[in-house]
Amino acid sequence: MRYSTVLAAFTPVVLAQYGSDSSSSSSSSASTTSSTPSSTASATKGIQTVLVGSTALSFTPNNITADIGTVVEFVFYPKTHSVAQASFADPCMPLANATGFFSGPQTIASGMGDNVFAITINDTKPIWFYCAYPNHCQGGMVGVINAPADGSKTVDMFAAAAANVSTTVSPSYVQGGTLEDASAVTVPSASATGAGIETKGSINLGLALTGLLAAAFAGLIV
């Protein structure tokens, strides 16, 4: 009788803890490599985060829809990556007359880098971009913000054209955006692996069940 009372008291706690983590584990990780199908994300006015090199040679997501006023933050991962603006006609090449943006090379030993490169969307014209580290652009590390809605130019077309470019050209200096402290950036849950989320949920559930059983046992022996 005492065991049933303790169990009833602790069951809502266990369900609440596990329910919180299970909702997180439902988040899926979007990633692309080379010229595989693109990953897409949309943002209203606010912040859109792009993970640079978190999964092989990729921007995640690499196909972004962002309203005017949206800040797009590029978060860097090992080993060395960058983001530079190009034109659809000339992938792996910076915009003519140095009119585009460039983060500069970001070299990271492990985990998330110290710097975030941020740009602000001022209009809805397509913005094509690539990693300027040698061979990364040809390997499929490209992306687009606000691709044409009619499908006449897509990120997959851009990646296919980049694969045929002989040399990646890096801009001469950082421009067109700001380098900011990454410690203030909240990386979206989509960047976490499913295994990590499941492990966290399992640990929390295990601790909750351990507490429940201990309380029930104590109730029986009193």
Side-chain angles (χ1 to χ4, degrees), residues 10 25 134 149 155 181 192:
F10 277 84
S25 65
V155 69
D181 186 355

Side-chain angles (χ1 to χ4, degrees), residues 189-216:
S189 59
S191 67
T193 63
I197 294 172
E198 291 297 337
T199 299
K200 180 180 178 182
S202 298
I203 291 174
N204 286 346
L205 177 61
L207 291 174
L209 288 176
T210 299
L212 172 62
L213 292 175

Side-chain angles (χ1 to χ4, degrees), residues 26-27 29 35 48 54-55 84 95 105 120 136 160 165 171 181 186 193 209 219:
S26 64
S27 299
S29 178
S35 47
Q48 172 71 53
S54 63
T55 306
L95 285 182
T120 300
H136 285 193
V165 173
D181 186 355
T186 301
T193 63
L209 288 176

Side-chain angles (χ1 to χ4, degrees), residues 87-115:
S87 67
F88 182 82
D90 292 309
C92 311
M93 293 278 294
L95 285 182
N97 302 319
T99 56
F101 57 76
F102 179 50
S103 67
Q106 303 295 316
T107 300
I108 297 98
S110 63
M112 188 175 76
D114 294 332
N115 295 322

Side-chain angles (χ1 to χ4, degrees), residues 71-92:
V71 174
V72 179
E73 295 180 331
F74 294 89
V75 181
F76 299 92
Y77 289 82
K79 295 182 178 177
T80 301
H81 299 291
S82 65
V83 58
Q85 188 174 357
S87 67
F88 182 82
D90 292 309
C92 311

